[in-house]
Amino acid sequence: MNNNSELISQYKEAFPAFRGYMECMSRTLFTGLASLSLAFGGTYVIQHLANKHLPYSRKLHIVVSSVVACGVAYQSRLQALATGVGGQVGVMVLQPWVKWGPQKRTDTSGQLMLQEAVALVSTLPLVSVVTQEVVSLQSLGKRMVFGSGTLERLVNEARANKSISCIFISLDIMKRSQIGELEAAFGIRIMDRYSVVLSIFHQHARTKEARLQVALAELPYIKKRVTYERDKLMVAEREKRLKAALTKLAGIRAQVRANRAKSSLPTIAVVGYTNAGKTSLIHAITQDSRAEGRNQLFATLDVTAHGCRLPCGVEVAFIDTVGFIQDIPTDLVASFKATLEDAIYSDVVVHVRDVSHPDYELQGATVSSTLASLPLPSGTPVITAANKMDLGITRSPEQLADAYVVSATREEGIEELLMAIQNEVLRVTGRKLWKFTLPTGSDQIQWLRGATGLVQEEIDEANPQITHVVAVLTDQELAAFTRNFGVKGKK
Ligand SMILES: Nc1nc2c(ncn2[C@@H]2O[C@H](COP(=O)(O)OP(=O)(O)OP(=O)(O)O)[C@@H](O)[C@H]2O)c(=O)[nH]1
Ligand SMILES: [Mg+2]
């Protein structure tokens, strides 16, 4: 224990959060040891008392007790480690806000930014927001972020409240030296938007590709911290290896895309601000249970495809993508460009927007500018889905003139949206609706059914020998049909 105290006082200056870390580790160790002995003793005594009824001999009592004790100790150790010192990680959320002057933002408000910051940090497991505040600044770019009087007040507030163990300053990315000085002043850990988003990415990355991208996104941060030449070389080497692995995966992805193009499966990319309801909308359209919306920022990090048939019978794939957010360094979004390429090469883009959100405009602009930074072919149609209408519409009908107003969770307005998507898919892939009048049960009808599926098939009321058919065909398919059967259709 004495050694611990010495260590803590030795590192107090360089690493202000070291005390908390040591306390957490000691607590975890003791919790583990205590659970081990209690579980062992308890299981042994129970077996001893119930010996007659047990199907195994006395010799095995020690083995059973050991197994149970290990399991219980492991679980309680995990719990203790995750909850850190004294339960949840209590966070003080500070949203810097320039009150006036050229740096004042006019596209949102300090309160809305604070709300987003709170949602962002609450996405991390076991985090509870203890206090939150919009802190007025005269300008951005100060070394200690806040003016000296404000800083003193905040430090006193944080120190007086024992449940605060971390401060989230909602600025995109802060300098390492800045964080160091602020950590020294507050005596606890400081996080910026970059580190919070990165931690969420770590939590949510499932596939190998997402994990590689997160590792790559982390490098600019690490680069800023290392000072020794040897470490810089190591980081450069890691960057090279990660990029090589990603390029390999991008190759496989391109192959999958090429196969999809060959099988002429049209794709629709669903993009939008994080939490706008992209995944929920895909669920409402495709009924695919794998597309499950979650009330978390950056719930989706892995690009997934979800198949369905449009009302006209054409099969398509809806592609779920990573959400965008304002005020994070471009490196972070850039690291996901590989996955966003799926959006680039899709036939139609659906931009999902949260129509109930007061920051509707700003969120839309963030997405549009991120999309503009991707090499999206200029002809790709973008359809706007103004989602969450059941929560109230914050915009006038004129402002929503080009949007399809829907509710993904209540499945309202989905049919109209789907028809718009269908029209665009048919237009960009050169498919058209054709009407034919054909003999009932004929080879022609069979052929059309096999080619693309039939939209409509109606036996004539007056003459059951003939059937009225509507089919979706590309020019090549129509040419093949005319060649085979010599029948012409009507548009
Ligand atoms: N009330 C209401 N809630 C919705 C609607 N659509 C989505 N939500 C909710 O909004 C939250 C986010 O939905 P998601 O579908 O996960 O959003 P996302 O855009 O995929 O989010 P990320 O993957 O994190 O970028 C979930 O809690 C949904 O239940 C809607 O039409 N109405
Ligand atoms: Mg999602």
Side-chain angles (χ1 to χ4, degrees):
M1 267 300 111
N2 272 346
N3 281 350
N4 262 2
S5 315
E6 271 171 38
L7 267 177
I8 290 169
S9 64
Q10 198 177 335
Y11 287 108
K12 177 168 80 190
E13 291 301 315
F15 306 108
F18 191 61
R19 169 186 285 277
Y21 173 76
M22 288 302 282
E23 282 175 10
C24 173
M25 283 303 150
S26 314
R27 178 179 285 242
T28 306
L29 179 69
F30 286 122
T31 312
L33 284 175
S35 334
L36 188 78
S37 353
L38 278 175
F40 185 90
T43 320
Y44 195 82
V45 170
I46 292 169
Q47 288 176 106
H48 188 72
L49 296 175
N51 185 33
K52 274 191 213 145
H53 309 288
L54 293 176
Y56 49 86
S57 75
R58 238 171 226 281
K59 278 186 208 155
L60 282 173
H61 286 189
I62 291 187
V63 178
V64 174
S65 308
S66 307
V67 172
V68 172
C70 286
V72 171
Y74 179 70
Q75 274 306 324
S76 65
R77 195 191 65 96
L78 276 188
Q79 188 77 18
L81 196 61
T83 49
V85 193
Q88 300 239 326
V89 179
V91 182
M92 174 188 231
V93 181
L94 301 177
Q95 177 61 59
W97 182 254
V98 179
K99 263 201 307 204
W100 38 263
Q103 285 181 325
K104 179 178 162 51
R105 288 179 64 160
T106 50
D107 53 357
T108 179
S109 70
Q111 272 308 324
L112 286 173
M113 291 283 294
L114 179 67
Q115 264 173 30
E116 184 176 276
V118 168
L120 199 59
V121 77
S122 307
T123 301
L124 287 170
L126 297 162
V127 157
S128 70
V129 172
V130 182
T131 59
Q132 44 179 294
E133 183 180 335
V134 176
V135 186
S136 297
L137 307 180
Q138 278 170 357
S139 66
L140 289 170
K142 279 202 185 122
R143 212 185 59 198
M144 295 297 271
V145 183
F146 313 104
S148 54
T150 312
L151 182 66
E152 199 183 322
R153 174 179 65 79
L154 293 170
V155 166
N156 288 339
E157 212 177 298
R159 291 198 167 176
N161 193 334
K162 287 276 168 287
S163 46
I164 296 174
S165 51
C166 176
I167 315 257
F168 172 32
I169 302 179
S170 177
L171 287 176
D172 59 352
I173 188 165
M174 294 199 283
K175 289 199 193 80
R176 182 62 217 146
S177 58
Q178 215 177 4
I179 292 186
E181 283 178 50
L182 284 163
E183 280 184 345
F186 280 96
I188 47 177
R189 190 172 171 207
I190 305 283
M191 292 184 95
D192 53 15
R193 283 175 84 92
Y194 186 87
S195 45
V196 170
V197 172
L198 205 59
S199 305
I200 299 173
F201 281 9
H202 269 293
Q203 290 285 333
H204 294 178
R206 304 259 181 279
T207 61
K208 189 174 170 191
E209 189 165 24
R211 276 200 280 266
L212 282 171
Q213 289 179 123
V214 173
L216 199 61
E218 206 168 19
L219 286 184
Y221 215 49
I222 298 176
K223 265 190 203 161
K224 283 205 176 80
R225 287 182 189 191
V226 297
T227 41
Y228 296 115
E229 221 29 62
R230 195 196 49 183
D231 295 345
K232 281 185 188 163
L233 281 175
M234 264 170 56
V235 174
E237 183 56 32
R238 183 169 161 74
E239 186 167 5
K240 225 166 74 186
R241 270 191 289 123
L242 287 172
K243 281 193 171 154
L246 269 170
T247 314
K248 204 167 141 199
L249 281 178
I252 299 171
R253 196 173 268 285
Q255 188 60 44
V256 171
R257 234 179 358 242
N259 289 345
R260 221 158 40 202
K262 237 187 260 165
S263 70
S264 72
L265 183 70
T267 54
I268 299 130
V270 180
V271 303
Y273 207 78
T274 183
N275 212 42
K278 301 175 288 298
T279 307
S280 307
L281 184 69
I282 292 182
H283 179 81
I285 293 174
T286 64
Q287 299 298 323
D288 188 344
S289 58
R290 286 180 305 134
E292 197 70 64
R294 270 184 294 159
N295 195 14
Q296 284 185 340
L297 305 192
F298 301 109
T300 308
L301 276 197
D302 306 310
V303 171
T304 48
H306 308 267
C308 87
R309 257 181 204 281
L310 292 176
C312 68
V314 171
E315 269 187 52
V316 292
F318 279 85
I319 298 178
D320 200 358
T321 64
V322 181
F324 303 143
I325 195 166
Q326 58 169 330
D327 273 357
I328 53 163
T330 38
D331 293 328
L332 258 188
V333 184
S335 66
F336 279 85
K337 280 211 170 138
T339 33
L340 285 169
E341 279 187 357
D342 274 308
I344 302 169
Y345 294 108
S346 62
D347 297 292
V348 175
V349 170
V350 175
H351 177 182
V352 184
R353 299 176 66 172
D354 179 351
V355 75
S356 71
H357 202 287
D359 262 347
Y360 181 80
E361 306 302 335
L362 174 66
Q363 294 189 348
T366 305
V367 173
S368 302
S369 69
T370 316
L371 279 183
S373 74
L374 302 171
L376 199 70
S378 58
T380 311
V382 179
I383 297 173
T384 303
N387 188 34
K388 305 198 186 182
M389 70 165 185
D390 54 292
L391 294 181
I393 298 174
T394 58
R395 292 295 177 272
S396 67
E398 295 78 51
Q399 284 170 309
L400 296 172
D402 295 332
Y404 289 84
V405 184
V406 299
S407 167
T409 44
R410 295 213 182 156
E411 305 200 358
E412 282 166 17
I414 305 294
E415 257 174 52
E416 290 86 342
L417 172 68
L418 201 54
M419 285 315 283
I421 295 173
Q422 170 171 300
N423 288 343
E424 288 303 334
V425 167
L426 294 182
R427 189 175 65 76
V428 295
T429 60
R431 290 175 164 93
K432 291 184 195 93
L433 287 170
W434 293 94
K435 289 183 188 154
F436 301 95
T437 302
L438 300 167
T440 304
S442 63
D443 286 352
Q444 286 100 310
I445 294 184
Q446 208 56 34
W447 191 96
L448 286 173
R449 259 197 219 129
T452 54
L454 289 176
V455 187
Q456 219 177 307
E457 198 177 337
E458 253 176 41
I459 296 177
D460 193 282
E461 275 180 17
N463 179 4
Q465 301 295 320
I466 59 170
T467 302
H468 302 284
V469 164
V470 180
V472 180
L473 299 172
T474 60
D475 289 347
Q476 290 90 327
E477 282 164 346
L478 181 73
F481 182 73
T482 320
R483 218 175 26 248
N484 283 347
F485 301 106
V487 183
K488 284 213 169 126
K490 275 194 297 191
K491 267 193 204 175

